[in-house]
Amino acid sequence: MEYRIVTDPSVFAHGSHLITSSDSPLLEAFDLPLLAEMVAQARKGQLADSQFGCAPFARITMIPDTAWQDTLTEELLVALRPLFKKPVSENVVLDCTLLTESGVRDPVLRWVFNLDHSLDDLGLKSGKTARDRVKCLTGFCLPSQQETLQTAFRQQHAVANGMLAARRLADIPSEICTPQYVVEQAQHLCKLFPTLRCEVLDEKEIVEQGLGLLHAVGKGSSRPPRLLAIHYDGAKDGPVRSYVGKGITFDTGGLWLKEGAGMYTMKYDMCGAANVLGLMLSIAELALPVRVMGVLALAENAIGPEAMQPGSVARACNGMTVEINNTDAEGRLVLADAIAWTSQRHPQTHFIIDMATLTGAVVKALGYELSGLMTQNEMLREQLVLAGKKSGDEVWSLPLNGRMKKQTESAIADLCNTPTNNAAISASAAWLLHHFCPPEIPWAHLDVSGTALWREGGRSVASGRPIPLLVQHLLDDLEYVVWFCRPAQA
């Protein structure tokens, strides 16, 4: 989807769909008899909508001002969603005069740009006609708002493009979207940016480099595991920010077999890895002056003669051993190896943040709107919470301390991968993971089991979260570093 920012109403494309508010200064530019009636209706708190007597527009929608100003309940998005189900025009004019003054701007822009993907686009329905879609979003603002809005559009367009890439990949059925397929798609997408380069470990190199946990999870499948590292060189030197994603392309549960209903959406168990890829693409599009590494731990947790068995012990690349007492707790195994491998790559690692659809328990605790955040680094915790509020992609911090120690104790190995008491499942998983990041490197874990999918109309599709959160955090972090390292005034 293309976009443009305008301050002159005379340049709107003829036949556009105008979405505005009752108090917008834009309305003064048009002498339409129906506007007075629509304004009166909108000021009563009702949505006013017309496709008649709108020239030069094909449609005018007036949303009450309270929706434009709401920052918590997504009232504006609730009003917008039905308008885009069957758009009457491929050109939409979004009146941003109120958006620039409220905290809902970024989520709204991201949402509109994300309309560029739907399940129909995968081409898996025969005889499906091309759907109507918005091709150009025009943002109208006052001249004094133009610079702020231009920055917002540019950032959210890049964020949405990363989300779109992640969503398209995650929505693909798992018989196609294998570990090797993810690698090939990532390589194809990364070629679009000269600042991105890919490094791949195949199943033999995974064993040679000692990633025994990733090997244990992937060895039961005929589709072998991969470790993909994407390097972004937006600066010649300096510390490296690192992101790690769980990429279980399908999760049967292994020999600890899931029931059928629980297996249905398991093609989405690689959303963490898909979102790391999308994040790297967003960073590259924004051309941020920083070094970043994204690591995708890719495997299929399948049943076969070589599948890992409950009670087996595997060794990670940092030398620690893990008793696998539940083969359906495989995500923390591949993450643990990937975190340890990532921590060993750069002596100047600024932080490591991992993301994963790790536990159903976090959904019971936080629902579908909040990602679970677990870290022992207070600065990183505060930064991520703040970035979540600023971006509209919020997190909620859960405890992570020595109280969890007994949850990962094993009689035969250094650690076990699940607690036997079925308590504090999300935090116990994070406690296991923290052993694989050296204490001198700030580390945070994001459990996105509730937020990695959008759930509408009884269907689940990939959401692209927490890419908005992490882009905002990175922007904030770069701003902080620039401020903190500025030369002292004489």
Side-chain angles (χ1 to χ4, degrees):
M1 186 185 302
E2 297 179 350
Y3 72 86
R4 61 177 184 156
I5 311 296
V6 302
T7 59
D8 180 3
S10 66
V11 300
F12 293 156
H14 186 82
S16 298
H17 178 188
L18 171 64
I19 301 174
T20 185
S21 65
S22 60
D23 289 331
S24 172
L26 173 63
L27 302 181
E28 299 174 1
F30 300 98
D31 184 20
L32 299 176
L34 65 94
L35 285 180
E37 182 179 346
M38 295 183 72
V39 166
Q41 184 173 341
R43 287 179 176 170
K44 292 178 182 179
Q46 302 171 356
L47 185 142
D49 185 65
S50 179
Q51 297 183 45
F52 303 98
C54 301
F57 302 102
R59 182 179 187 179
I60 297 177
T61 304
M62 201 170 290
I63 299 174
D65 289 358
T66 54
W68 294 89
Q69 297 161 354
D70 178 77
T71 60
L72 185 62
T73 63
E74 296 187 347
E75 186 179 346
L76 182 56
L77 287 179
V78 171
L80 288 174
R81 285 189 181 104
L83 303 179
F84 288 90
K85 292 291 185 182
K86 291 184 178 180
V88 299
S89 174
E90 62 184 27
N91 297 292
V92 168
V93 177
L94 184 64
D95 186 344
C96 297
T97 53
L98 283 183
L99 275 185
T100 54
E101 307 301 328
S102 70
V104 297
R105 176 192 64 215
D106 292 351
V108 168
L109 296 180
R110 277 200 309 271
W111 180 82
V112 175
F113 289 136
N114 264 283
L115 294 172
D116 258 358
H117 168 67
S118 75
L119 293 180
D120 290 345
D121 297 333
L122 299 178
L124 299 178
K125 287 186 176 182
S126 58
K128 186 70 176 179
T129 57
R131 66 183 178 93
D132 295 330
R133 67 176 73 213
V134 176
K135 294 182 179 179
C136 181
L137 176 66
T138 298
F140 171 80
C141 66
L142 302 176
S144 61
Q145 301 169 325
Q146 188 171 12
E147 183 177 353
T148 298
L149 196 64
Q150 188 71 47
T151 299
F153 264 71
R154 176 176 176 269
Q155 289 182 357
Q156 297 311 313
H157 191 257
V159 170
N161 282 342
M163 295 172 73
L164 288 165
R167 292 174 57 211
R168 290 181 182 116
L169 189 60
D171 283 337
I172 295 172
S174 56
E175 71 268 16
I176 301 171
C177 190
T178 64
Q180 179 59 28
Y181 180 88
V182 174
V183 168
E184 292 170 357
Q185 290 300 302
Q187 291 172 327
H188 171 71
L189 292 169
C190 288
K191 284 182 179 179
L192 302 174
F193 300 95
T195 50
L196 293 177
R197 55 188 173 87
C198 293
E199 174 187 3
V200 184
L201 302 186
D202 63 18
E203 65 271 33
K204 293 181 180 178
E205 292 165 312
I206 286 170
V207 173
E208 290 171 358
Q209 296 198 22
L211 286 88
L213 303 184
L214 177 57
H215 169 70
V217 174
K219 67 188 178 71
S221 173
S222 60
R223 297 152 174 165
R226 296 287 185 267
L227 187 82
L228 169 63
I230 304 173
H231 303 272
Y232 170 73
D233 301 315
K236 293 182 179 180
D237 52 26
V240 176
R241 279 89 168 161
S242 295
Y243 303 91
V244 176
K246 170 189 172 184
I248 302 299
T249 55
F250 193 80
D251 183 16
T252 66
L255 295 181
W256 202 293
L257 188 67
K258 294 179 183 289
E259 62 178 17
M263 211 185 298
Y264 178 68
T265 59
M266 285 301 106
K267 72 174 184 178
Y268 290 114
D269 213 17
M270 46 73 73
C271 279
N275 290 334
V276 169
L277 169 60
L279 174 64
M280 299 300 291
L281 295 172
S282 293
I283 292 170
E285 183 173 337
L286 289 169
L288 298 180
V290 67
R291 298 172 68 203
V292 183
M293 181 170 71
V295 177
L296 288 66
L298 303 163
E300 183 181 80
N301 189 21
I303 296 174
E306 299 299 321
M308 58 180 173
Q309 301 171 340
S312 58
V313 175
R315 187 180 299 275
C317 66
N318 69 345
M320 297 195 75
T321 56
V322 180
E323 178 187 3
I324 303 169
N325 55 4
N326 184 339
T327 64
D328 195 22
E330 83 300 325
R332 65 202 69 181
L333 297 177
V334 303
L335 275 179
D337 243 346
I339 291 168
W341 186 87
T342 300
S343 71
Q344 298 166 3
R345 290 305 304 276
H346 296 286
Q348 288 183 291
T349 300
H350 189 58
F351 58 67
I352 296 175
I353 299 174
D354 77 72
M355 64 205 79
T357 50
L358 205 62
T359 66
V362 82
V363 182
K364 294 180 180 179
L366 302 179
Y368 296 115
E369 300 301 325
L370 296 167
S371 298
L373 165 64
M374 283 146 275
T375 180
Q376 292 185 309
N377 186 283
E378 292 305 317
M379 179 177 288
L380 193 52
R381 185 196 313 275
E382 292 175 6
Q383 291 173 341
L384 286 167
V385 170
L386 179 59
K389 292 178 180 178
K390 291 171 67 173
S391 65
D393 186 4
E394 293 193 54
V395 299
W396 195 268
S397 184
L398 296 173
L400 184 67
N401 53 47
R403 294 183 180 92
M404 304 296 164
K405 184 176 180 180
K406 291 185 178 180
Q407 299 295 93
T408 58
E409 288 182 345
S410 168
I412 194 173
D414 296 323
L415 301 161
C416 72
N417 72 330
T418 55
T420 56
N421 58 15
N422 203 34
I425 297 297
S426 300
S428 297
W431 182 255
L432 172 81
L433 293 176
H434 104 278
H435 291 85
F436 296 86
C437 186
E440 63 270 16
I441 299 177
W443 162 81
H445 164 61
L446 295 173
D447 193 332
V448 296
S449 293
T451 56
L453 300 182
W454 270 326
R455 296 162 179 85
E456 287 187 9
R459 298 179 180 179
S460 295
V461 295
S463 71
R465 292 179 64 185
I467 294 174
L469 162 75
L470 295 173
V471 171
Q472 183 64 57
H473 172 254
L474 183 55
L475 291 170
D476 291 347
D477 188 55
L478 290 172
E479 185 177 322
Y480 170 80
V481 169
V482 169
W483 179 87
F484 189 75
C485 298
R486 76 192 192 285
Q489 297 295 323

